[in-house]
Amino acid sequence: MTALPVSVADSLHASIHRQRELAYLQIDTELRLVGAGGHLEYYGLEGLEIGASACEQVFFLEGLLPPTQSPSFVRSLEIVADRAADLQFYLDGDHIWVVLLDVTAERDESRRMQQRAYDMTLLREKEALLNRRLESANAALRAAQGELERSRLELESAHSRLQADLAEAAHYVRSLLPAPLSEPFRADWRFVPSAALGGDALGYHWIDSEHFALYLLDVCGHGVGPSLMSVAVLHMLRTRSLRGIDFRNPAQVLSSLNDAYQMQSASDLYFTLWYGVYQPRERTLKYGCAGHPPALLVSADGSAVEHLKLAGVPIGLVDGVKYASATVSVPAQSRLYILSDGTFEVQKPDGAMLAFDELVEFVRCPPRADSDLDDWLQHLVQLRGGSLDDDFSIVRFGF
């Protein structure tokens, strides 16, 4: 500071002395303390004994005296707790001057910087570790997504195959249903399963030249199992494969089917059946009923509707049941409707169920060009607001 004015240099020296907590020690060649001054108490050096060994009184000087060169420095030495100073050693003749210049603030700031640097390093390591974990998780997610996509494609393929198989099965079931008749009497039907495969089946055929069988069955449930059972029963009725049974006798047919299809041995499936035998020459209809809705015999002008139903539990529920049969006369120009419960058990928009009497009132009206079956189906679809919940199966005969 030789270039500075004396007043400025003195002011700077005074400022440094105030801010840096400066202290000094004067030591002779015998390493005895011969003088001390400044802020000695700041460094815990108050009460030093002049003339005594400096190193024995000031522990941090051990090994540092005498200095090998002048000036020499020891940076940021911990003097007492939370106090750090730069030690400056000067040789002046026969004396060694030790100056303590407080650097606690710088030391603390350096430590804070080092801690921040350490924290940043640790943060970067954590970030790198997190990134590696995220990359690993993303890779696993991409692999899972790929596996899901493959599974989805396989599922779609399996679903397409299943739908194709169901469509083929549904086509097969429909192919078993009889063709409409126009001679010697009229016969027509509508068969609309609620699912790809339903549990309903219907049919009619000549047993012999004098007896015509007509029937409709409803297996509980929908899907492959009920459909297979309905096809099996339909085949048994068409081929008359129940041994020792007179298929002209509805009571015998129902009892024999009940013996053959007990639900304990048929995957807990059971079915209802309406079975009748019509004799054109006598114009009589003999029928039996196993838990099925009544068939409706409607006079030519619709003034009379006869409910053809007999008491009888569904087939398969109770072993050893003996069913009954009854015979009615069939008036000229009359119509007979055999139907499943899906033709009338439909929920209205207000939550109430359609009454069977509403179907009865509908069939009283003479059909418009044989369109009554379609009209009733369309009425139910509109009433339901979409597809039906149950199979819609109905057969109309015109005698």
Side-chain angles (χ1 to χ4, degrees):
M1 298 185 187
T2 57
L4 294 175
V6 174
S7 61
V8 174
D10 289 344
S11 177
L12 289 174
H13 280 296
S15 177
I16 292 172
H17 189 271
R18 287 195 305 272
Q19 295 177 6
R20 292 294 185 173
E21 304 292 348
L22 186 143
Y24 62 88
L25 303 174
Q26 184 181 9
I27 302 170
D28 63 13
T29 56
E30 299 297 326
L31 302 184
R32 293 189 298 269
L33 182 66
V34 296
H39 297 281
L40 294 172
E41 72 283 355
Y42 183 78
Y43 299 105
L45 298 177
E46 67 274 17
L48 291 175
E49 182 180 350
I50 302 299
S53 170
C55 292
E56 291 179 359
Q57 298 183 80
V58 184
F59 73 93
F60 54 81
L61 294 178
E62 187 70 37
L64 298 178
L65 297 176
T68 57
Q69 60 182 11
S70 178
S72 61
F73 305 92
V74 175
R75 301 295 184 186
S76 190
L77 183 66
E78 187 84 12
I79 304 301
V80 293
D82 298 326
R83 295 286 188 273
D86 284 349
L87 299 185
Q88 302 180 14
F89 296 88
Y90 300 92
L91 294 176
D92 182 30
D94 293 334
H95 293 98
I96 303 169
W97 291 84
V98 181
V99 179
L100 289 78
L101 189 62
D102 179 43
V103 292
T104 302
E106 289 84 348
R107 190 275 314 271
D108 292 345
E109 179 62 24
S110 175
R111 286 180 176 178
R112 286 192 291 270
M113 291 295 293
Q114 290 175 352
Q115 184 62 42
R116 284 195 290 270
Y118 172 76
D119 291 342
M120 289 298 295
T121 300
L122 184 61
L123 182 61
R124 284 193 294 270
E125 290 177 353
K126 289 182 177 179
E127 183 179 9
L129 177 61
L130 180 59
N131 286 334
R132 290 193 296 272
R133 289 178 177 175
L134 285 175
E135 290 175 0
S136 177
N138 286 334
L141 180 60
R142 288 192 295 271
Q145 288 175 334
E147 186 63 29
L148 285 175
E149 180 64 17
R150 287 190 294 272
S151 297
R152 184 185 66 81
L153 293 175
E154 292 175 358
L155 183 60
E156 287 181 353
S157 177
H159 178 72
S160 297
R161 293 193 301 270
L162 177 60
Q163 291 302 111
D165 291 343
L166 289 175
E168 183 178 355
H171 177 73
Y172 171 72
V173 171
R174 184 169 288 272
S175 72
L176 298 178
L177 304 182
L181 293 178
S182 58
E183 296 293 340
F185 40 78
R186 299 186 310 278
D188 198 5
W189 50 263
R190 295 295 181 271
F191 174 74
V192 184
S194 61
L197 292 174
D200 287 4
L202 57 92
Y204 42 80
H205 62 270
W206 288 99
I207 300 174
D208 54 38
S209 61
E210 296 294 330
H211 297 85
F212 184 79
L214 47 159
Y215 41 87
L216 193 151
L217 64 101
D218 181 0
V219 181
C220 66
H222 310 96
V224 176
S227 180
L228 289 176
M229 175 172 277
S230 67
V231 168
V233 176
L234 190 65
H235 177 76
M236 186 170 289
L237 293 175
R238 289 176 59 183
T239 59
R240 299 190 291 263
S241 55
L242 291 170
R243 295 185 177 181
I245 298 301
D246 183 358
F247 279 84
R248 296 169 299 183
N249 186 332
Q252 286 190 27
V253 172
L254 298 180
S255 298
S256 181
L257 286 173
N258 186 68
D259 293 339
Y261 286 98
Q262 279 300 298
M263 61 182 297
Q264 292 85 354
S265 58
S267 301
D268 291 334
L269 295 176
Y270 61 90
F271 59 93
T272 64
L273 172 64
W274 194 97
Y275 181 89
V277 177
Y278 177 59
Q279 292 183 266
R281 181 174 298 181
E282 286 79 11
R283 298 196 63 85
T284 59
L285 176 64
K286 191 174 185 179
Y287 66 92
C289 187
H292 202 81
L296 300 175
L297 182 60
V298 186
S299 62
D301 60 1
S303 61
V305 178
E306 190 172 355
H307 294 58
L308 306 184
K309 182 176 177 65
L310 294 173
V313 298
I315 290 175
L317 286 181
V318 181
D319 192 14
V321 176
K322 298 302 178 183
Y323 293 86
S325 60
T327 303
V328 295
S329 296
V330 179
Q333 304 302 314
S334 61
R335 288 168 284 135
L336 176 70
Y337 294 87
I338 310 175
L339 44 92
S340 68
D341 56 10
T343 59
F344 61 89
E345 289 184 350
V346 175
Q347 191 175 41
K348 298 179 179 180
D350 63 1
M353 295 298 293
L354 182 73
F356 184 72
D357 289 343
E358 295 181 58
L359 172 58
V360 174
E361 290 304 313
F362 178 83
V363 300
R364 284 182 182 275
C365 303
R368 299 181 296 105
D370 293 338
S371 66
D372 57 337
L373 303 184
D374 293 324
D375 290 344
W376 182 250
L377 174 60
Q378 187 61 31
H379 172 67
L380 295 185
V381 170
Q382 291 177 352
L383 190 67
R384 187 71 180 89
S387 59
L388 303 180
D389 293 331
D390 201 358
D391 302 337
F392 179 93
S393 302
I394 186 169
V395 189
R396 184 196 64 235
F397 297 92
F399 299 112

